[in-house]
């Protein structure tokens, strides 16, 4: 398999890259930092890039993926939590940064892949259950993931030979969880308290432990209508 994953330096992207490589896949990773353990793998190809730098992405991506004509799977995993605040406390600049990472960088990347004529079998946009419901403090993140869901739905209708899915990976310990762990205002943000209580329990495995289950979920998503939303916990 040929797989492109964004955000491979840590968290879910890193765990998925490890598992796919262990299964013999060739993985192309895009992230701002280098994961030394992945770079030692012969089948791992990496480019150090900030996806929100759209000019650099358009300039560097063609050469980076020139050795393959197809991707069996593209996982749009890179994302940020953004500020955990009430919406009235979040300024528009902070909102733009979250939307640029969680939404627009994915649009730019997909457009480039299709413009380059790559045969793409499946695209997975890493979403969240937060995209379906409003939760105090989660405004920027929820909005960006809800928009990502719609982006997958729109592209599914415009690129019918590729299967698209907005995929919620459930609770996985990652850098986002580290940020949540350090938030003190748990009375103001009930979801923060629930996530803090789940951390370091079997309900929130680390990314490597979760990877096999996530891959099974991604494979099951191929049975769903292209452009759908799916939660790994419900598959």
């Amino acid at each position: 398999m040929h797989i492109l994953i964004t955000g491979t330096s840590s968290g879910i992207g890193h765990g998925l890259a490890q598992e796919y490589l262990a299964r013999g896949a060739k993985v192309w990773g895009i992230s701002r930092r280098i994961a030394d353990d992945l770079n030692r793998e012969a089948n791992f190809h990496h480019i150090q890039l900030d996806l929100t730098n759209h000019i650099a992405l358009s300039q560097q991506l063609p050469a980076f993926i020139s050795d393959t004509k197809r991707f069996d799977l593209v996982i749009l995993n890179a994302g940020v939590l953004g500020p955990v605040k009430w919406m009235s406390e979040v300024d528009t600049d902070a909102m733009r940064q979250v939307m640029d990472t969680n939404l627009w960088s994915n649009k730019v990347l997909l457009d480039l892949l299709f413009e380059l004529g790559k045969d793409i079998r499946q695209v997975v946009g890493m979403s969240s259950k937060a995209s379906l419901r409003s939760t105090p403090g989660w405004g920027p993140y929820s909005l960006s993931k809800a928009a990502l869901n719609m982006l997958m739905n729109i592209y599914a209708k415009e690129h019918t030979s590729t299967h698209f899915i907005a995929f919620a990976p459930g609770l996985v310990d990652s850098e986002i969880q580290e940020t949540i762990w350090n938030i003190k205002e748990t009375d103001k943000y009930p979801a923060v308290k629930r996530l803090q209580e789940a951390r370091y329990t079997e309900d929130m495995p680390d990314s490597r432990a979760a990877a096999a289950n996530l891959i099974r979920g991604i494979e099951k998503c191929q049975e769903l209508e292209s452009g759908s939303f799916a939660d790994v916990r419900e598959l």
Side-chain angles (χ1 to χ4, degrees):
M1 290 185 70
H2 289 196
I3 303 170
L4 175 66
I5 306 174
T6 65
T8 53
S9 62
S10 63
I12 291 173
H14 184 264
L16 287 173
Q18 287 178 309
E19 182 65 22
Y20 278 120
L21 287 166
R23 298 181 182 203
K26 293 184 178 181
V27 177
W28 283 256
I30 304 175
S31 58
R32 289 178 297 176
R33 300 188 305 276
I34 299 171
D36 292 333
D37 62 325
L38 295 180
N39 272 353
R40 290 192 288 269
E41 297 285 341
N43 284 335
F44 183 70
H45 313 275
H46 181 262
I47 185 170
Q48 193 170 359
L49 187 64
D50 182 348
L51 287 167
T52 63
N53 187 338
H54 300 161
I55 294 175
L57 178 60
S58 63
Q59 291 174 340
Q60 298 180 41
L61 185 71
F64 174 57
I65 60 174
S66 61
D67 290 342
T68 183
K69 295 181 179 179
R70 79 170 198 280
F71 285 108
D72 300 286
L73 178 60
V74 172
I75 301 178
L76 305 173
N77 165 74
V80 295
L81 176 63
V84 177
K85 297 179 179 179
W86 283 8
M87 281 298 292
S88 58
E89 300 170 338
V90 181
D91 61 43
T92 53
D93 285 339
M95 281 296 309
R96 287 192 192 99
Q97 291 173 11
V98 174
M99 295 296 285
D100 208 19
T101 302
N102 294 357
L103 179 67
W104 300 127
S105 63
N106 292 321
K107 177 198 177 324
V108 172
L109 177 58
L110 286 175
D111 289 346
L112 283 168
L113 290 172
F114 286 119
E115 287 171 12
L116 292 167
K118 302 300 180 182
D119 176 15
I120 303 172
R121 311 293 172 80
Q122 184 183 20
V123 174
V124 174
M126 281 295 176
S127 186
S128 168
K129 206 65 174 285
S131 68
L132 306 182
R133 61 191 179 205
S134 57
T135 304
W138 249 244
Y141 183 75
S142 295
L143 282 170
S144 68
K145 292 302 184 179
L148 178 66
N149 295 354
M150 183 55 69
L151 186 73
M152 294 296 97
N153 190 270
I154 292 169
Y155 273 78
K157 292 176 172 58
E158 296 179 351
H159 296 274
T160 55
S161 61
T162 301
H163 186 273
F164 291 83
I165 202 78
F167 182 69
L171 299 184
V172 179
D173 200 351
S174 64
E175 285 188 0
I176 284 179
Q177 297 301 333
E178 185 65 27
T179 299
I180 293 170
W181 182 257
N182 291 309
I183 295 173
K184 306 301 182 184
E185 299 173 280
T186 54
D187 291 337
K188 188 175 182 180
Y189 310 118
V192 167
K193 184 176 182 179
R194 291 195 296 271
L195 290 170
Q196 289 179 349
E197 290 173 346
R199 199 178 189 198
Y200 304 123
T201 73
E202 61 182 12
D203 293 330
M204 188 185 289
D206 63 34
S207 58
R208 188 65 180 91
N213 186 51
L214 294 179
I215 290 173
R216 282 193 295 270
I218 289 170
E219 291 172 348
K220 287 183 179 180
C221 284
Q222 297 179 36
E223 303 170 6
L224 303 178
E225 181 181 358
S226 184
S228 300
F229 172 89
D231 189 316
V232 69
R233 293 164 290 192
E234 298 172 0
L235 293 172

